[in-house]
Amino acid sequence: MPLTADRVQSALDRPVRFYEQVASTNDLALAWLRDGASAGAVVLADEQTLGRGRLGRAWLAPPGTALMLSVIVRPPSEAVGSMTMLGAVAICELLESLGAADVGIKWPNDVRLNGRKVCGILPEAAWDGQRLLGVVLGIGLNVRIDFANTPLADSAISLEPALDTRIDRLDLLVTLLSRIDLWTQTLQARHELFAAWKRRLTMLGQRVSVSSVDDSMQQGVAEDVDNTGALLLRTDDGRLHRLVAGDIALGKQDQPDGD
Ligand code: BTN
């Protein structure tokens, strides 16, 4: 079923702005947040023309093929760094509720289904000087994007072909928002969220390559994560490195397996 403003409005009990086409839902949600949008408000689009991904990448999907939204969250400022975890855990729970068996998180926040990326998460915070106004939690979930004959054919996957069933994006949205709401209420004490995130990380204990924002590459064993979500990488010289961002791939690679 196509997403329409009427369907979306009547399914959600919260402020929502639906667009058939936007540049980026995160941009609109950030503007709405600065304009006083309440916590839980949602910007949803059927198509993005300038969707943004992590590390300055683009995030594009043809109309009708993905669930793309930005949720406005007003977390305590010390919980800003946990928003990626929150998004990833909520998506995992959504997929698990649909019966998906092989669901995991590739550090820091790519949700994978059957070993391939099915969802990306981009939280962006808005500040007024030192004061946190809120966070926009941007989520892009591949529902029926056809990745065949694209550079992402081996690394990305869509929900419908993976589960071999037709899925209404509105049903996904309703369940996803309920999981986000629940986890948002736990943000004062984040140990439960952290445990739910860490339990689903796929590469701990394994040999990995991590490329950083500056394109430098480090290899070693993904030994653990600390309670802020940073990756603890043990390199071959025995040193432990704390990495807060980057792209991780299994084994020794020239390029990490991006999205
Ligand atoms: C990633 O690179 O993995 C994160 C991708 C996040 C994409 C979503 S789609 C909805 C929201 N609006 C954006 O412009 N980006 C996020």
Side-chain angles (χ1 to χ4, degrees):
M1 286 252 264
L3 289 178
T4 62
D6 281 353
R7 285 190 73 220
V8 172
Q9 297 280 359
S10 54
L12 300 186
D13 187 16
R14 66 181 72 218
V16 54
R17 292 181 177 175
F18 169 74
Y19 301 88
E20 284 182 6
Q21 188 191 68
V22 294
S24 156
T25 58
N26 268 24
D27 288 347
L28 292 182
L30 281 167
W32 195 11
L33 172 62
R34 290 189 181 281
D35 230 20
S38 54
V42 174
V43 177
L44 178 72
D46 193 44
E47 184 186 5
Q48 285 186 133
T49 53
L50 283 172
R52 285 187 279 113
R54 289 176 60 233
L55 309 175
R57 297 185 185 126
W59 185 273
L60 304 171
T65 63
L67 184 65
M68 291 178 290
L69 68 148
S70 303
V71 187
I72 289 166
V73 185
R74 295 187 183 272
S77 54
E78 64 276 11
V80 168
S82 300
M83 295 310 298
T84 50
M85 291 180 196
L86 190 154
V89 169
I91 286 284
C92 285
E93 291 176 335
L94 168 66
L95 303 187
E96 289 156 6
S97 77
L98 296 171
D102 184 5
V103 176
I105 299 171
K106 187 178 89 141
W107 180 88
N109 62 347
D110 284 356
V111 179
R112 300 192 131 206
L113 174 61
N114 302 345
R116 295 177 186 199
K117 180 164 176 170
V118 69
C119 179
I121 294 153
L122 183 68
E124 295 183 293
W127 299 85
D128 180 13
Q130 300 284 341
R131 189 171 69 93
L132 176 70
L133 293 176
V135 173
V136 158
L137 183 59
I139 296 177
L141 175 63
N142 307 332
V143 178
R144 59 186 75 98
I145 303 175
D146 182 2
F147 291 105
N149 304 314
T150 76
L152 303 181
D154 293 331
S155 60
I157 196 167
S158 285
L159 204 46
E160 278 191 349
L163 299 184
D164 194 21
T165 183
R166 190 81 184 162
I167 295 169
D168 188 336
R169 287 174 293 161
L170 203 48
D171 293 340
L172 295 178
L173 177 66
V174 170
T175 307
L176 175 62
L177 291 175
S178 74
R179 299 313 307 168
I180 290 173
D181 287 351
L182 274 174
W183 283 113
T184 301
Q185 288 159 23
T186 72
L187 283 175
Q188 294 287 355
R190 295 175 294 284
H191 50 275
E192 208 187 322
L193 174 61
F194 177 74
W197 174 75
K198 182 174 174 179
R199 174 155 45 86
R200 292 179 172 90
L201 287 178
T202 54
M203 293 181 185
L204 290 189
Q206 302 194 51
R207 193 161 181 84
V208 297
S209 305
V210 187
S211 73
S212 299
V213 189
D214 63 2
D215 268 352
S216 64
M217 176 88 76
Q218 282 178 295
Q219 291 170 352
V221 173
E223 201 162 279
D224 204 351
V225 283
D226 71 15
N227 60 6
T228 68
L231 180 70
L232 303 177
L233 181 77
R234 179 82 62 185
T235 45
D236 293 342
D237 58 8
R239 290 171 59 201
L240 196 61
H241 301 259
R242 182 175 176 276
L243 306 177
V244 295
D247 255 337
I248 188 171
L250 269 186
K252 188 175 174 196
Q253 308 218 344
D254 294 333
Q255 287 292 319
D257 61 341
D259 23 306

